[in-house]
Amino acid sequence: MRLGVLDVGSNTVHLVAVDARVGGRPTPMSDWKTSLRLVEHLDDDGAITDKGKKKLVAAVAEAAELADKLNCTELLAFATSAIRSASNGDEVLAHVAKHTGVELEVLSGEEEARLTFLAVRRWYGWSAGRITNLDIGGGSLELSTGSDEHPDLALSLDLGAGRLTHQWFDADPPERKRVNALRDYIDAELTEPARQFAQFGEPGVAVGTSKTFRTLARLTGAAPSSAGPYVKRRLTAPGLRQLIAFISRMTAADRAELEGISSDRSHQIVAGALVAEASMRALGIEELEICPWALREGVILRRIDKGLA
C-alpha cells in the first residue's frame, strides 16, 4: 500500500510517499518539500494572513497533485503548531479543504510528542531502556520520556525556532541583550517541565529529533546527511555552547555559508540553538543522540499498526 504523508509544519510543507507494509521499514520512495515559514505570516492577533493562506493553499495543492501522480492510495495529511495555535486555525483549515480537497488533521502538541516518541522507540528498540526525546520545530518544542512505546510524559511548548525568531529578534545579527533576554525566557518556560521530567529519573538514551537538531549536530562536527541514516550523530552541551557563541554574532547570510545549514534555516538557527541548549541544561542532558526518524515516521507507523488493506 502506497501512503502519502503530508506534513504541514511551521517551516515547510513536506510530502513523502512510502510503500507501507506490516513489519516493514517506513523508508520514503519519494520526498518533496517547499519552504513556507507559516509562523512569519501571522498578524498581531495571531491569525494567519491572507498571504499566508494563499501560500499554504498553493503548497498543499502541489503536494496533493504530486501524491496523485505517485499513485498514493491514501493521503495522511496533518498540520502542527502554526495552524494549531493560529487564532483563525479553523477558518484556514476550511479554506484549504475548499480550494484543494485536502482535509488536514491538526495534531495536538501532546499527539505530536507521542508520535515522535513512537518513531524514536522503534528506531532504538527496547534495549535503549528509558528514552527522553527532544524535538524542536518551527513553532513548538516537544519533550517526551518513557520506557515503553507510549511515553510516560509528553509535553509541547510554544518554543519553536521560527516562532521565537519572529517574536524576539528584529536585528541581524540579533542584539546581545535580546539573545540574553530570550535565554532567560526559555529557562523560565522550562522550569515546570524540568520538574516533571525529574520525577522519572535519568534516561538510558537522550535523543534529539528534527531538522534543527540535525543541523546543530552537523555544525558541531557530526557527519553530513550524505553519509546515510545509520551513521551515529551526537550533539554535546559543550559543543552547543561554543556554537551559540559563534553563530549568534553572525548574520543570517553568513550563517548560510556554513557547511550543513541551508538558507531557509539560517535565520532561525540561533533561536533553535538557544532552545536546544536550555532544554538540555534543564533536563540535565550532556549529550544527545540524533535520531533520523521523527514525526512523519511516527504517523506512518501508527497507520501501519492499525492494519493495511
Side-chain angles (χ1 to χ4, degrees), residues 134 206-208 213 233-235 280 285-290:
L134 288 66
V207 179
F213 273 117
R233 297 172 175 87
R234 294 182 173 85
L235 177 65
M280 292 174 71
I285 296 170
E286 283 296 304
E287 181 177 283
L288 287 173
E289 292 196 22
I290 307 301

Side-chain angles (χ1 to χ4, degrees), residues 253-308:
D254 287 338
R255 290 193 294 269
E257 297 298 319
L258 299 174
E259 186 176 351
I261 183 169
S262 65
S263 58
D264 286 341
R265 301 276 176 169
S266 63
H267 72 292
Q268 65 181 43
I269 197 62
V270 174
L274 290 171
V275 174
E277 191 272 333
S279 300
M280 292 174 71
R281 177 161 31 85
L283 300 184
I285 296 170
E286 283 296 304
E287 181 177 283
L288 287 173
E289 292 196 22
I290 307 301
C291 180
W293 282 5
L295 177 59
R296 283 183 295 277
E297 286 77 15
V299 169
I300 296 167
L301 290 166
R302 179 183 65 175
R303 177 64 185 85
I304 292 174
D305 288 349
K306 290 181 178 179
L308 300 173

Side-chain angles (χ1 to χ4, degrees), residues 6-15 32-39 56 59 78-80 82 138 211 262 264-265 268 296:
L6 178 58
D7 176 359
V8 176
S10 299
N11 285 317
T12 61
V13 171
H14 196 154
L15 173 74
W32 171 91
K33 64 180 175 181
T34 186
S35 179
L36 191 62
R37 296 186 186 178
L38 206 51
V39 293
L56 177 59
F78 64 91
T80 54
K211 180 65 173 180
S262 65
D264 286 341
R265 301 276 176 169
Q268 65 181 43
R296 283 183 295 277

Side-chain angles (χ1 to χ4, degrees), residues 182-248:
L182 177 54
R183 181 181 276 118
D184 290 343
Y185 171 77
I186 297 168
D187 285 342
E189 291 295 298
L190 287 168
T191 299
E192 176 57 21
R195 186 195 66 78
Q196 295 180 52
F197 271 74
Q199 300 177 34
F200 295 97
E202 294 185 5
V205 179
V207 179
T209 50
S210 75
K211 180 65 173 180
T212 295
F213 273 117
R214 293 197 301 273
T215 298
L216 293 171
R218 180 70 186 108
L219 290 173
T220 55
S225 58
S226 59
Y230 302 111
V231 175
K232 287 192 175 182
R233 297 172 175 87
R234 294 182 173 85
L235 177 65
T236 67
L240 184 53
R241 288 193 291 270
Q242 292 177 8
L243 179 66
I244 291 172
F246 178 57
I247 63 175
S248 62

Side-chain angles (χ1 to χ4, degrees), residues 2 4 15 61-73 75:
R2 181 161 295 173
L15 173 74
E62 185 175 356
E65 182 179 355
L66 178 58
D68 186 59
K69 289 180 178 178
L70 292 170
N71 297 317
C72 294
T73 56
L75 183 64

Side-chain angles (χ1 to χ4, degrees), residues 118-129:
L118 171 63
V120 172
R121 169 58 71 189
R122 294 281 178 93
W123 181 268
Y124 286 99
W126 296 111
S127 63

